[in-house]
Amino acid sequence: MFQITRIYSDSSGESHFEDFEIPLKNNGDIGFLSEDEAVKSIVFREVLPSYDYDFHNAPDRQYIILLDGGVEIETSLGEKRTFETGSILLVEDTTGKGHKTKNIENRLRKSIFIKL
């Protein structure tokens, strides 16, 4: 299973975290695979060590894979979570009050956005 954290907006516009898993099935010698999921595009991203972005909405429904360096994300209700290198997020709060994001390490951070 792959552990994913979803960030989404409720009907009042408040952002929340929700954890879920993507199941994998045994495909023999090539390992365990998930079902295919259609995507629109992929974006490679690099941000400066000082990255500290105030409340914002996700520009698109997208997975974010943290390649190196962690982040702290805060919801509109003040809940904070820290995500380390290798974490996978599903960001869906394209409307509402959004979330804050900041680097937790003083170094360049790379990530991949997979737009759905």
Side-chain angles (χ1 to χ4, degrees):
M1 297 266 181
F2 265 89
Q3 176 75 31
I4 311 284
T5 299
R6 177 180 174 229
I7 302 169
Y8 69 97
S9 295
D10 65 20
S11 60
S12 299
E14 301 290 355
S15 56
H16 302 271
F17 294 113
E18 176 184 54
D19 296 320
F20 70 98
E21 294 180 336
I22 294 183
L24 304 176
K25 64 180 181 178
N26 188 339
N27 281 275
D29 292 342
I30 64 169
F32 296 81
L33 302 175
S34 69
E35 294 295 324
D36 285 351
E37 186 169 348
V39 300
K40 290 182 187 176
S41 63
I42 186 169
V43 175
F44 298 89
R45 181 181 191 202
E46 190 173 80
V47 297
L48 296 174
S50 59
Y51 185 81
D52 186 356
Y53 198 41
D54 205 1
F55 281 103
H56 63 284
N57 294 104
D60 294 288
R61 184 173 174 260
Q62 59 195 1
Y63 285 109
I64 299 175
I65 303 169
L66 301 178
L67 297 177
D68 59 2
V71 296
E72 177 185 84
I73 298 178
E74 181 178 347
T75 68
S76 61
L77 295 173
E79 182 181 359
K80 294 180 182 180
R81 288 196 190 178
T82 300
F83 300 94
E84 303 292 337
T85 297
S87 295
I88 304 171
L89 307 170
L90 174 58
V91 185
E92 297 183 307
D93 63 337
T94 59
T95 62
K97 297 179 183 179
H99 62 276
K100 289 183 180 181
T101 307
K102 71 177 180 179
N103 281 355
I104 58 173
E105 299 172 40
N106 189 25
R107 65 180 187 153
L108 203 64
R109 182 173 53 84
K110 295 180 181 180
S111 55
I112 296 175
F113 292 10
I114 303 171
K115 298 182 181 196
L116 304 172

